[in-house]
Each structure stands twice: as structure tokens, then as C-alpha cells.
Amino acid sequence: MADDHERIHVSATDARAGSTPGVTRYVLGVSLVVVIAVMAYILLA
């Protein structure tokens, strides 16, 4: 059994329990462009 004061070292991949495909940056980018376009349309209309 592990001691409560002992550090536990886990790799980043094991800590995440999966992969990070990087889809989030594309979703955020597309969302930002869409919001800017909608706001510009509302402002100019």
C-alpha cells in the first residue's frame, strides 16, 4: 500500500487516460469565425 506522503509519478498519457486528437482547436477556431461573422452581419444590417 502506498504511503500518503509518498509522491506518485504517472505519465501524461496515463493521467489523461486517452489521446488528445486536437479537434478542440479547430472547433474553437470555426466558432470564433462564425461568431465574428454573425456579429458583423448584425452590426451592418
Side-chain angles (χ1 to χ4, degrees):
M1 191 188 257
D3 184 18
D4 290 337
H5 301 290
E6 185 177 330
R7 289 184 180 217
I8 299 172
H9 298 281
V10 180
S11 71
T13 303
D14 289 338
R16 283 192 301 261
S19 64
T20 54
V23 176
T24 304
R25 80 182 91 177
Y26 298 117
V27 171
L28 290 173
V30 169
S31 300
L32 180 62
V33 170
V34 169
V35 166
I36 291 172
V38 169
M39 295 299 278
Y41 176 78
I42 291 171
L43 182 65
L44 298 174

PDB file of all heavy atoms in Angstrom:
ATOM      1  N   MET A   1       0.838  -1.172   0.000  1.00  0.00           N
ATOM      2  CA  MET A   1       0.000   0.000   0.000  1.00  0.00           C
ATOM      3  C   MET A   1       0.890   1.244   0.000  1.00  0.00           C
ATOM      4  O   MET A   1       1.912   1.279   0.657  1.00  0.00           O
ATOM      5  CB  MET A   1      -0.906  -0.002   1.227  1.00  0.00           C
ATOM      6  CG  MET A   1      -1.979   1.057   1.125  1.00  0.00           C
ATOM      7  SD  MET A   1      -2.877   1.207   2.629  1.00  0.00           S
ATOM      8  CE  MET A   1      -4.365   0.435   2.427  1.00  0.00           C
ATOM      9  N   ALA A   2       0.484   2.275  -0.736  1.00  0.00           N
ATOM     10  CA  ALA A   2       1.288   3.490  -0.862  1.00  0.00           C
ATOM     11  C   ALA A   2       1.164   4.354   0.387  1.00  0.00           C
ATOM     12  O   ALA A   2       0.105   4.450   0.998  1.00  0.00           O
ATOM     13  CB  ALA A   2       0.845   4.283  -2.072  1.00  0.00           C
ATOM     14  N   ASP A   3       2.282   4.976   0.739  1.00  0.00           N
ATOM     15  CA  ASP A   3       2.302   5.907   1.864  1.00  0.00           C
ATOM     16  C   ASP A   3       1.624   7.208   1.426  1.00  0.00           C
ATOM     17  O   ASP A   3       1.782   7.662   0.299  1.00  0.00           O
ATOM     18  CB  ASP A   3       3.759   6.167   2.268  1.00  0.00           C
ATOM     19  CG  ASP A   3       3.859   7.045   3.505  1.00  0.00           C
ATOM     20  OD1 ASP A   3       2.848   7.157   4.231  1.00  0.00           O
ATOM     21  OD2 ASP A   3       4.933   7.615   3.731  1.00  0.00           O
ATOM     22  N   ASP A   4       0.859   7.837   2.302  1.00  0.00           N
ATOM     23  CA  ASP A   4       0.145   9.060   1.954  1.00  0.00           C
ATOM     24  C   ASP A   4       1.078  10.214   1.615  1.00  0.00           C
ATOM     25  O   ASP A   4       0.709  11.128   0.893  1.00  0.00           O
ATOM     26  CB  ASP A   4      -0.783   9.482   3.094  1.00  0.00           C
ATOM     27  CG  ASP A   4      -1.965   8.540   3.243  1.00  0.00           C
ATOM     28  OD1 ASP A   4      -2.298   7.855   2.253  1.00  0.00           O
ATOM     29  OD2 ASP A   4      -2.552   8.490   4.335  1.00  0.00           O
ATOM     30  N   HIS A   5       2.297  10.202   2.115  1.00  0.00           N
ATOM     31  CA  HIS A   5       3.243  11.286   1.889  1.00  0.00           C
ATOM     32  C   HIS A   5       4.204  10.992   0.744  1.00  0.00           C
ATOM     33  O   HIS A   5       5.046  11.813   0.424  1.00  0.00           O
ATOM     34  CB  HIS A   5       4.020  11.578   3.176  1.00  0.00           C
ATOM     35  CG  HIS A   5       3.124  11.952   4.315  1.00  0.00           C
ATOM     36  ND1 HIS A   5       2.446  13.146   4.366  1.00  0.00           N
ATOM     37  CD2 HIS A   5       2.768  11.272   5.430  1.00  0.00           C
ATOM     38  CE1 HIS A   5       1.725  13.200   5.471  1.00  0.00           C
ATOM     39  NE2 HIS A   5       1.899  12.064   6.132  1.00  0.00           N
ATOM     40  N   GLU A   6       4.066   9.850   0.126  1.00  0.00           N
ATOM     41  CA  GLU A   6       4.947   9.457  -0.971  1.00  0.00           C
ATOM     42  C   GLU A   6       4.356   9.936  -2.305  1.00  0.00           C
ATOM     43  O   GLU A   6       3.163   9.790  -2.555  1.00  0.00           O
ATOM     44  CB  GLU A   6       5.088   7.932  -0.984  1.00  0.00           C
ATOM     45  CG  GLU A   6       6.073   7.411  -1.990  1.00  0.00           C
ATOM     46  CD  GLU A   6       6.214   5.903  -1.889  1.00  0.00           C
ATOM     47  OE1 GLU A   6       6.049   5.362  -0.788  1.00  0.00           O
ATOM     48  OE2 GLU A   6       6.456   5.300  -2.938  1.00  0.00           O
ATOM     49  N   ARG A   7       5.197  10.516  -3.167  1.00  0.00           N
ATOM     50  CA  ARG A   7       4.720  11.004  -4.459  1.00  0.00           C
ATOM     51  C   ARG A   7       4.458   9.843  -5.409  1.00  0.00           C
ATOM     52  O   ARG A   7       5.169   8.856  -5.409  1.00  0.00           O
ATOM     53  CB  ARG A   7       5.750  11.924  -5.092  1.00  0.00           C
ATOM     54  CG  ARG A   7       5.866  13.237  -4.376  1.00  0.00           C
ATOM     55  CD  ARG A   7       6.816  14.128  -5.107  1.00  0.00           C
ATOM     56  NE  ARG A   7       6.919  15.383  -4.417  1.00  0.00           N
ATOM     57  CZ  ARG A   7       7.042  16.544  -5.019  1.00  0.00           C
ATOM     58  NH1 ARG A   7       7.117  16.591  -6.334  1.00  0.00           N
ATOM     59  NH2 ARG A   7       7.118  17.650  -4.342  1.00  0.00           N
ATOM     60  N   ILE A   8       3.446  10.021  -6.234  1.00  0.00           N
ATOM     61  CA  ILE A   8       3.110   9.023  -7.248  1.00  0.00           C
ATOM     62  C   ILE A   8       3.391   9.668  -8.602  1.00  0.00           C
ATOM     63  O   ILE A   8       2.872  10.738  -8.915  1.00  0.00           O
ATOM     64  CB  ILE A   8       1.638   8.602  -7.149  1.00  0.00           C
ATOM     65  CG1 ILE A   8       1.368   7.980  -5.787  1.00  0.00           C
ATOM     66  CG2 ILE A   8       1.283   7.643  -8.275  1.00  0.00           C
ATOM     67  CD1 ILE A   8      -0.090   7.703  -5.523  1.00  0.00           C
ATOM     68  N   HIS A   9       4.218   9.033  -9.419  1.00  0.00           N
ATOM     69  CA  HIS A   9       4.572   9.554 -10.731  1.00  0.00           C
ATOM     70  C   HIS A   9       3.798   8.791 -11.803  1.00  0.00           C
ATOM     71  O   HIS A   9       3.891   7.574 -11.900  1.00  0.00           O
ATOM     72  CB  HIS A   9       6.080   9.425 -10.978  1.00  0.00           C
ATOM     73  CG  HIS A   9       6.895  10.212 -10.000  1.00  0.00           C
ATOM     74  ND1 HIS A   9       7.057  11.571 -10.130  1.00  0.00           N
ATOM     75  CD2 HIS A   9       7.564   9.854  -8.894  1.00  0.00           C
ATOM     76  CE1 HIS A   9       7.801  12.007  -9.132  1.00  0.00           C
ATOM     77  NE2 HIS A   9       8.127  10.978  -8.361  1.00  0.00           N
ATOM     78  N   VAL A  10       3.022   9.536 -12.610  1.00  0.00           N
ATOM     79  CA  VAL A  10       2.231   8.958 -13.680  1.00  0.00           C
ATOM     80  C   VAL A  10       2.509   9.766 -14.940  1.00  0.00           C
ATOM     81  O   VAL A  10       2.588  10.998 -14.898  1.00  0.00           O
ATOM     82  CB  VAL A  10       0.718   9.028 -13.348  1.00  0.00           C
ATOM     83  CG1 VAL A  10      -0.111   8.419 -14.460  1.00  0.00           C
ATOM     84  CG2 VAL A  10       0.426   8.341 -12.035  1.00  0.00           C
ATOM     85  N   SER A  11       2.653   9.080 -16.067  1.00  0.00           N
ATOM     86  CA  SER A  11       2.905   9.793 -17.325  1.00  0.00           C
ATOM     87  C   SER A  11       1.663  10.583 -17.734  1.00  0.00           C
ATOM     88  O   SER A  11       0.551  10.304 -17.292  1.00  0.00           O
ATOM     89  CB  SER A  11       3.284   8.821 -18.434  1.00  0.00           C
ATOM     90  OG  SER A  11       2.154   8.058 -18.815  1.00  0.00           O
ATOM     91  N   ALA A  12       1.849  11.585 -18.597  1.00  0.00           N
ATOM     92  CA  ALA A  12       0.739  12.437 -19.029  1.00  0.00           C
ATOM     93  C   ALA A  12      -0.335  11.626 -19.754  1.00  0.00           C
ATOM     94  O   ALA A  12      -1.526  11.854 -19.573  1.00  0.00           O
ATOM     95  CB  ALA A  12       1.252  13.555 -19.914  1.00  0.00           C
ATOM     96  N   THR A  13       0.077  10.674 -20.579  1.00  0.00           N
ATOM     97  CA  THR A  13      -0.884   9.858 -21.316  1.00  0.00           C
ATOM     98  C   THR A  13      -1.711   8.993 -20.372  1.00  0.00           C
ATOM     99  O   THR A  13      -2.926   8.867 -20.535  1.00  0.00           O
ATOM    100  CB  THR A  13      -0.160   8.963 -22.335  1.00  0.00           C
ATOM    101  OG1 THR A  13       0.615   9.798 -23.195  1.00  0.00           O
ATOM    102  CG2 THR A  13      -1.153   8.168 -23.167  1.00  0.00           C
ATOM    103  N   ASP A  14      -1.062   8.412 -19.373  1.00  0.00           N
ATOM    104  CA  ASP A  14      -1.798   7.594 -18.401  1.00  0.00           C
ATOM    105  C   ASP A  14      -2.739   8.455 -17.565  1.00  0.00           C
ATOM    106  O   ASP A  14      -3.842   8.031 -17.226  1.00  0.00           O
ATOM    107  CB  ASP A  14      -0.828   6.846 -17.495  1.00  0.00           C
ATOM    108  CG  ASP A  14      -0.097   5.738 -18.225  1.00  0.00           C
ATOM    109  OD1 ASP A  14      -0.608   5.280 -19.269  1.00  0.00           O
ATOM    110  OD2 ASP A  14       0.981   5.325 -17.752  1.00  0.00           O
ATOM    111  N   ALA A  15      -2.325   9.655 -17.220  1.00  0.00           N
ATOM    112  CA  ALA A  15      -3.164  10.531 -16.410  1.00  0.00           C
ATOM    113  C   ALA A  15      -4.405  10.971 -17.182  1.00  0.00           C
ATOM    114  O   ALA A  15      -5.482  11.107 -16.606  1.00  0.00           O
ATOM    115  CB  ALA A  15      -2.368  11.746 -15.958  1.00  0.00           C
ATOM    116  N   ARG A  16      -4.264  11.204 -18.485  1.00  0.00           N
ATOM    117  CA  ARG A  16      -5.410  11.605 -19.308  1.00  0.00           C
ATOM    118  C   ARG A  16      -6.297  10.419 -19.654  1.00  0.00           C
ATOM    119  O   ARG A  16      -7.439  10.606 -20.031  1.00  0.00           O
ATOM    120  CB  ARG A  16      -4.920  12.247 -20.604  1.00  0.00           C
ATOM    121  CG  ARG A  16      -4.431  13.650 -20.444  1.00  0.00           C
ATOM    122  CD  ARG A  16      -4.258  14.281 -21.804  1.00  0.00           C
ATOM    123  NE  ARG A  16      -3.325  13.557 -22.635  1.00  0.00           N
ATOM    124  CZ  ARG A  16      -2.050  13.881 -22.811  1.00  0.00           C
ATOM    125  NH1 ARG A  16      -1.555  14.920 -22.193  1.00  0.00           N
ATOM    126  NH2 ARG A  16      -1.262  13.180 -23.582  1.00  0.00           N
ATOM    127  N   ALA A  17      -5.755   9.250 -19.577  1.00  0.00           N
ATOM    128  CA  ALA A  17      -6.471   8.012 -19.904  1.00  0.00           C
ATOM    129  C   ALA A  17      -6.957   8.012 -21.349  1.00  0.00           C
ATOM    130  O   ALA A  17      -8.050   7.585 -21.660  1.00  0.00           O
ATOM    131  CB  ALA A  17      -7.619   7.771 -18.943  1.00  0.00           C
ATOM    132  N   GLY A  18      -6.147   8.545 -22.250  1.00  0.00           N
ATOM    133  CA  GLY A  18      -6.517   8.541 -23.653  1.00  0.00           C
ATOM    134  C   GLY A  18      -5.644   9.481 -24.459  1.00  0.00           C
ATOM    135  O   GLY A  18      -4.687  10.046 -23.963  1.00  0.00           O
ATOM    136  N   SER A  19      -6.021   9.639 -25.702  1.00  0.00           N
ATOM    137  CA  SER A  19      -5.242  10.505 -26.588  1.00  0.00           C
ATOM    138  C   SER A  19      -5.908  11.875 -26.695  1.00  0.00           C
ATOM    139  O   SER A  19      -7.078  12.045 -26.375  1.00  0.00           O
ATOM    140  CB  SER A  19      -5.134   9.878 -27.974  1.00  0.00           C
ATOM    141  OG  SER A  19      -6.413   9.789 -28.550  1.00  0.00           O
ATOM    142  N   THR A  20      -5.146  12.832 -27.181  1.00  0.00           N
ATOM    143  CA  THR A  20      -5.677  14.172 -27.406  1.00  0.00           C
ATOM    144  C   THR A  20      -5.539  14.474 -28.893  1.00  0.00           C
ATOM    145  O   THR A  20      -4.476  14.873 -29.359  1.00  0.00           O
ATOM    146  CB  THR A  20      -4.910  15.208 -26.576  1.00  0.00           C
ATOM    147  OG1 THR A  20      -3.523  15.081 -26.855  1.00  0.00           O
ATOM    148  CG2 THR A  20      -5.132  15.017 -25.092  1.00  0.00           C
ATOM    149  N   PRO A  21      -6.610  14.299 -29.662  1.00  0.00           N
ATOM    150  CA  PRO A  21      -6.517  14.450 -31.115  1.00  0.00           C
ATOM    151  C   PRO A  21      -6.384  15.893 -31.586  1.00  0.00           C
ATOM    152  O   PRO A  21      -6.026  16.131 -32.723  1.00  0.00           O
ATOM    153  CB  PRO A  21      -7.822  13.839 -31.620  1.00  0.00           C
ATOM    154  CG  PRO A  21      -8.766  13.962 -30.484  1.00  0.00           C
ATOM    155  CD  PRO A  21      -7.926  13.852 -29.238  1.00  0.00           C
ATOM    156  N   GLY A  22      -6.667  16.880 -30.774  1.00  0.00           N
ATOM    157  CA  GLY A  22      -6.517  18.271 -31.172  1.00  0.00           C
ATOM    158  C   GLY A  22      -7.706  18.837 -31.927  1.00  0.00           C
ATOM    159  O   GLY A  22      -7.582  19.846 -32.608  1.00  0.00           O
ATOM    160  N   VAL A  23      -8.858  18.209 -31.819  1.00  0.00           N
ATOM    161  CA  VAL A  23     -10.051  18.675 -32.519  1.00  0.00           C
ATOM    162  C   VAL A  23     -10.558  19.975 -31.899  1.00  0.00           C
ATOM    163  O   VAL A  23     -11.126  20.816 -32.595  1.00  0.00           O
ATOM    164  CB  VAL A  23     -11.152  17.586 -32.479  1.00  0.00           C
ATOM    165  CG1 VAL A  23     -12.446  18.072 -33.101  1.00  0.00           C
ATOM    166  CG2 VAL A  23     -10.670  16.329 -33.171  1.00  0.00           C
ATOM    167  N   THR A  24     -10.305  20.176 -30.625  1.00  0.00           N
ATOM    168  CA  THR A  24     -10.822  21.340 -29.914  1.00  0.00           C
ATOM    169  C   THR A  24     -10.360  22.633 -30.547  1.00  0.00           C
ATOM    170  O   THR A  24     -11.133  23.586 -30.681  1.00  0.00           O
ATOM    171  CB  THR A  24     -10.382  21.296 -28.441  1.00  0.00           C
ATOM    172  OG1 THR A  24     -10.804  20.059 -27.873  1.00  0.00           O
ATOM    173  CG2 THR A  24     -10.988  22.438 -27.662  1.00  0.00           C
ATOM    174  N   ARG A  25      -9.099  22.705 -30.968  1.00  0.00           N
ATOM    175  CA  ARG A  25      -8.609  23.959 -31.553  1.00  0.00           C
ATOM    176  C   ARG A  25      -9.344  24.295 -32.846  1.00  0.00           C
ATOM    177  O   ARG A  25      -9.579  25.451 -33.139  1.00  0.00           O
ATOM    178  CB  ARG A  25      -7.102  23.908 -31.759  1.00  0.00           C
ATOM    179  CG  ARG A  25      -6.672  23.170 -32.997  1.00  0.00           C
ATOM    180  CD  ARG A  25      -5.192  23.122 -33.098  1.00  0.00           C
ATOM    181  NE  ARG A  25      -4.783  21.886 -32.433  1.00  0.00           N
ATOM    182  CZ  ARG A  25      -3.555  21.460 -32.364  1.00  0.00           C
ATOM    183  NH1 ARG A  25      -2.598  22.167 -32.866  1.00  0.00           N
ATOM    184  NH2 ARG A  25      -3.279  20.336 -31.776  1.00  0.00           N
ATOM    185  N   TYR A  26      -9.747  23.294 -33.623  1.00  0.00           N
ATOM    186  CA  TYR A  26     -10.498  23.553 -34.844  1.00  0.00           C
ATOM    187  C   TYR A  26     -11.920  24.010 -34.527  1.00  0.00           C
ATOM    188  O   TYR A  26     -12.455  24.908 -35.183  1.00  0.00           O
ATOM    189  CB  TYR A  26     -10.527  22.316 -35.742  1.00  0.00           C
ATOM    190  CG  TYR A  26      -9.154  21.898 -36.186  1.00  0.00           C
ATOM    191  CD1 TYR A  26      -8.626  20.665 -35.829  1.00  0.00           C
ATOM    192  CD2 TYR A  26      -8.365  22.752 -36.943  1.00  0.00           C
ATOM    193  CE1 TYR A  26      -7.353  20.285 -36.228  1.00  0.00           C
ATOM    194  CE2 TYR A  26      -7.085  22.387 -37.350  1.00  0.00           C
ATOM    195  CZ  TYR A  26      -6.599  21.151 -36.984  1.00  0.00           C
ATOM    196  OH  TYR A  26      -5.344  20.787 -37.385  1.00  0.00           O
ATOM    197  N   VAL A  27     -12.543  23.391 -33.546  1.00  0.00           N
ATOM    198  CA  VAL A  27     -13.896  23.785 -33.149  1.00  0.00           C
ATOM    199  C   VAL A  27     -13.886  25.222 -32.641  1.00  0.00           C
ATOM    200  O   VAL A  27     -14.752  26.025 -32.997  1.00  0.00           O
ATOM    201  CB  VAL A  27     -14.447  22.821 -32.068  1.00  0.00           C
ATOM    202  CG1 VAL A  27     -15.752  23.341 -31.488  1.00  0.00           C
ATOM    203  CG2 VAL A  27     -14.630  21.427 -32.642  1.00  0.00           C
ATOM    204  N   LEU A  28     -12.900  25.577 -31.816  1.00  0.00           N
ATOM    205  CA  LEU A  28     -12.816  26.940 -31.299  1.00  0.00           C
ATOM    206  C   LEU A  28     -12.557  27.939 -32.421  1.00  0.00           C
ATOM    207  O   LEU A  28     -13.139  29.025 -32.430  1.00  0.00           O
ATOM    208  CB  LEU A  28     -11.721  27.033 -30.238  1.00  0.00           C
ATOM    209  CG  LEU A  28     -12.018  26.315 -28.927  1.00  0.00           C
ATOM    210  CD1 LEU A  28     -10.790  26.339 -28.033  1.00  0.00           C
ATOM    211  CD2 LEU A  28     -13.200  26.937 -28.225  1.00  0.00           C
ATOM    212  N   GLY A  29     -11.703  27.591 -33.361  1.00  0.00           N
ATOM    213  CA  GLY A  29     -11.408  28.482 -34.481  1.00  0.00           C
ATOM    214  C   GLY A  29     -12.621  28.730 -35.350  1.00  0.00           C
ATOM    215  O   GLY A  29     -12.925  29.872 -35.709  1.00  0.00           O
ATOM    216  N   VAL A  30     -13.321  27.665 -35.704  1.00  0.00           N
ATOM    217  CA  VAL A  30     -14.524  27.795 -36.543  1.00  0.00           C
ATOM    218  C   VAL A  30     -15.601  28.575 -35.790  1.00  0.00           C
ATOM    219  O   VAL A  30     -16.258  29.453 -36.363  1.00  0.00           O
ATOM    220  CB  VAL A  30     -15.037  26.400 -36.974  1.00  0.00           C
ATOM    221  CG1 VAL A  30     -16.410  26.495 -37.619  1.00  0.00           C
ATOM    222  CG2 VAL A  30     -14.043  25.742 -37.911  1.00  0.00           C
ATOM    223  N   SER A  31     -15.767  28.304 -34.512  1.00  0.00           N
ATOM    224  CA  SER A  31     -16.761  29.022 -33.712  1.00  0.00           C
ATOM    225  C   SER A  31     -16.444  30.505 -33.653  1.00  0.00           C
ATOM    226  O   SER A  31     -17.348  31.346 -33.746  1.00  0.00           O
ATOM    227  CB  SER A  31     -16.816  28.456 -32.297  1.00  0.00           C
ATOM    228  OG  SER A  31     -17.168  27.098 -32.316  1.00  0.00           O
ATOM    229  N   LEU A  32     -15.185  30.852 -33.493  1.00  0.00           N
ATOM    230  CA  LEU A  32     -14.782  32.253 -33.443  1.00  0.00           C
ATOM    231  C   LEU A  32     -15.104  32.964 -34.758  1.00  0.00           C
ATOM    232  O   LEU A  32     -15.651  34.067 -34.757  1.00  0.00           O
ATOM    233  CB  LEU A  32     -13.290  32.359 -33.136  1.00  0.00           C
ATOM    234  CG  LEU A  32     -12.717  33.767 -33.052  1.00  0.00           C
ATOM    235  CD1 LEU A  32     -13.379  34.539 -31.924  1.00  0.00           C
ATOM    236  CD2 LEU A  32     -11.217  33.710 -32.872  1.00  0.00           C
ATOM    237  N   VAL A  33     -14.800  32.320 -35.874  1.00  0.00           N
ATOM    238  CA  VAL A  33     -15.093  32.912 -37.183  1.00  0.00           C
ATOM    239  C   VAL A  33     -16.596  33.087 -37.359  1.00  0.00           C
ATOM    240  O   VAL A  33     -17.060  34.128 -37.847  1.00  0.00           O
ATOM    241  CB  VAL A  33     -14.500  32.046 -38.312  1.00  0.00           C
ATOM    242  CG1 VAL A  33     -15.001  32.494 -39.673  1.00  0.00           C
ATOM    243  CG2 VAL A  33     -12.983  32.087 -38.248  1.00  0.00           C
ATOM    244  N   VAL A  34     -17.390  32.107 -36.959  1.00  0.00           N
ATOM    245  CA  VAL A  34     -18.845  32.192 -37.100  1.00  0.00           C
ATOM    246  C   VAL A  34     -19.400  33.324 -36.241  1.00  0.00           C
ATOM    247  O   VAL A  34     -20.244  34.106 -36.689  1.00  0.00           O
ATOM    248  CB  VAL A  34     -19.512  30.839 -36.745  1.00  0.00           C
ATOM    249  CG1 VAL A  34     -21.017  30.988 -36.618  1.00  0.00           C
ATOM    250  CG2 VAL A  34     -19.155  29.793 -37.781  1.00  0.00           C
ATOM    251  N   VAL A  35     -18.937  33.439 -35.014  1.00  0.00           N
ATOM    252  CA  VAL A  35     -19.426  34.500 -34.118  1.00  0.00           C
ATOM    253  C   VAL A  35     -19.066  35.875 -34.672  1.00  0.00           C
ATOM    254  O   VAL A  35     -19.889  36.790 -34.664  1.00  0.00           O
ATOM    255  CB  VAL A  35     -18.861  34.307 -32.691  1.00  0.00           C
ATOM    256  CG1 VAL A  35     -19.070  35.543 -31.840  1.00  0.00           C
ATOM    257  CG2 VAL A  35     -19.489  33.110 -32.045  1.00  0.00           C
ATOM    258  N   ILE A  36     -17.860  36.038 -35.170  1.00  0.00           N
ATOM    259  CA  ILE A  36     -17.443  37.315 -35.751  1.00  0.00           C
ATOM    260  C   ILE A  36     -18.315  37.649 -36.968  1.00  0.00           C
ATOM    261  O   ILE A  36     -18.752  38.793 -37.135  1.00  0.00           O
ATOM    262  CB  ILE A  36     -15.960  37.308 -36.105  1.00  0.00           C
ATOM    263  CG1 ILE A  36     -15.129  37.295 -34.822  1.00  0.00           C
ATOM    264  CG2 ILE A  36     -15.590  38.496 -36.974  1.00  0.00           C
ATOM    265  CD1 ILE A  36     -13.644  37.085 -35.051  1.00  0.00           C
ATOM    266  N   ALA A  37     -18.587  36.681 -37.812  1.00  0.00           N
ATOM    267  CA  ALA A  37     -19.410  36.900 -38.997  1.00  0.00           C
ATOM    268  C   ALA A  37     -20.835  37.289 -38.602  1.00  0.00           C
ATOM    269  O   ALA A  37     -21.425  38.212 -39.178  1.00  0.00           O
ATOM    270  CB  ALA A  37     -19.417  35.655 -39.873  1.00  0.00           C
ATOM    271  N   VAL A  38     -21.401  36.623 -37.635  1.00  0.00           N
ATOM    272  CA  VAL A  38     -22.775  36.919 -37.193  1.00  0.00           C
ATOM    273  C   VAL A  38     -22.834  38.315 -36.575  1.00  0.00           C
ATOM    274  O   VAL A  38     -23.760  39.094 -36.861  1.00  0.00           O
ATOM    275  CB  VAL A  38     -23.292  35.845 -36.204  1.00  0.00           C
ATOM    276  CG1 VAL A  38     -24.575  36.280 -35.537  1.00  0.00           C
ATOM    277  CG2 VAL A  38     -23.479  34.524 -36.928  1.00  0.00           C
ATOM    278  N   MET A  39     -21.870  38.645 -35.735  1.00  0.00           N
ATOM    279  CA  MET A  39     -21.861  39.969 -35.105  1.00  0.00           C
ATOM    280  C   MET A  39     -21.679  41.074 -36.155  1.00  0.00           C
ATOM    281  O   MET A  39     -22.301  42.121 -36.061  1.00  0.00           O
ATOM    282  CB  MET A  39     -20.769  40.038 -34.039  1.00  0.00           C
ATOM    283  CG  MET A  39     -20.992  39.107 -32.876  1.00  0.00           C
ATOM    284  SD  MET A  39     -22.522  39.450 -31.987  1.00  0.00           S
ATOM    285  CE  MET A  39     -21.971  40.790 -30.968  1.00  0.00           C
ATOM    286  N   ALA A  40     -20.826  40.844 -37.148  1.00  0.00           N
ATOM    287  CA  ALA A  40     -20.642  41.825 -38.214  1.00  0.00           C
ATOM    288  C   ALA A  40     -21.933  41.996 -39.023  1.00  0.00           C
ATOM    289  O   ALA A  40     -22.297  43.119 -39.389  1.00  0.00           O
ATOM    290  CB  ALA A  40     -19.492  41.393 -39.126  1.00  0.00           C
ATOM    291  N   TYR A  41     -22.620  40.914 -39.303  1.00  0.00           N
ATOM    292  CA  TYR A  41     -23.886  40.971 -40.027  1.00  0.00           C
ATOM    293  C   TYR A  41     -24.914  41.781 -39.248  1.00  0.00           C
ATOM    294  O   TYR A  41     -25.628  42.620 -39.814  1.00  0.00           O
ATOM    295  CB  TYR A  41     -24.398  39.558 -40.313  1.00  0.00           C
ATOM    296  CG  TYR A  41     -25.751  39.555 -40.985  1.00  0.00           C
ATOM    297  CD1 TYR A  41     -25.859  39.829 -42.342  1.00  0.00           C
ATOM    298  CD2 TYR A  41     -26.900  39.277 -40.270  1.00  0.00           C
ATOM    299  CE1 TYR A  41     -27.093  39.833 -42.974  1.00  0.00           C
ATOM    300  CE2 TYR A  41     -28.135  39.282 -40.888  1.00  0.00           C
ATOM    301  CZ  TYR A  41     -28.233  39.554 -42.227  1.00  0.00           C
ATOM    302  OH  TYR A  41     -29.446  39.562 -42.846  1.00  0.00           O
ATOM    303  N   ILE A  42     -25.011  41.531 -37.938  1.00  0.00           N
ATOM    304  CA  ILE A  42     -25.969  42.247 -37.102  1.00  0.00           C
ATOM    305  C   ILE A  42     -25.608  43.734 -37.042  1.00  0.00           C
ATOM    306  O   ILE A  42     -26.482  44.596 -37.124  1.00  0.00           O
ATOM    307  CB  ILE A  42     -26.007  41.643 -35.679  1.00  0.00           C
ATOM    308  CG1 ILE A  42     -26.635  40.243 -35.732  1.00  0.00           C
ATOM    309  CG2 ILE A  42     -26.767  42.535 -34.711  1.00  0.00           C
ATOM    310  CD1 ILE A  42     -26.537  39.474 -34.439  1.00  0.00           C
ATOM    311  N   LEU A  43     -24.332  44.044 -36.926  1.00  0.00           N
ATOM    312  CA  LEU A  43     -23.897  45.421 -36.830  1.00  0.00           C
ATOM    313  C   LEU A  43     -24.138  46.191 -38.135  1.00  0.00           C
ATOM    314  O   LEU A  43     -24.545  47.353 -38.121  1.00  0.00           O
ATOM    315  CB  LEU A  43     -22.396  45.466 -36.482  1.00  0.00           C
ATOM    316  CG  LEU A  43     -21.780  46.848 -36.286  1.00  0.00           C
ATOM    317  CD1 LEU A  43     -22.395  47.527 -35.076  1.00  0.00           C
ATOM    318  CD2 LEU A  43     -20.284  46.730 -36.123  1.00  0.00           C
ATOM    319  N   LEU A  44     -23.931  45.536 -39.266  1.00  0.00           N
ATOM    320  CA  LEU A  44     -24.059  46.204 -40.563  1.00  0.00           C
ATOM    321  C   LEU A  44     -25.475  46.158 -41.136  1.00  0.00           C
ATOM    322  O   LEU A  44     -25.757  46.871 -42.095  1.00  0.00           O
ATOM    323  CB  LEU A  44     -23.075  45.585 -41.556  1.00  0.00           C
ATOM    324  CG  LEU A  44     -21.599  45.743 -41.172  1.00  0.00           C
ATOM    325  CD1 LEU A  44     -20.719  44.977 -42.143  1.00  0.00           C
ATOM    326  CD2 LEU A  44     -21.216  47.216 -41.113  1.00  0.00           C
ATOM    327  N   ALA A  45     -26.328  45.335 -40.589  1.00  0.00           N
ATOM    328  CA  ALA A  45     -27.692  45.203 -41.130  1.00  0.00           C
ATOM    329  C   ALA A  45     -28.639  46.243 -40.592  1.00  0.00           C
ATOM    330  O   ALA A  45     -28.481  46.942 -39.704  1.00  0.00           O
ATOM    331  CB  ALA A  45     -28.252  43.822 -40.820  1.00  0.00           C
TER     332      ALA A  45
END
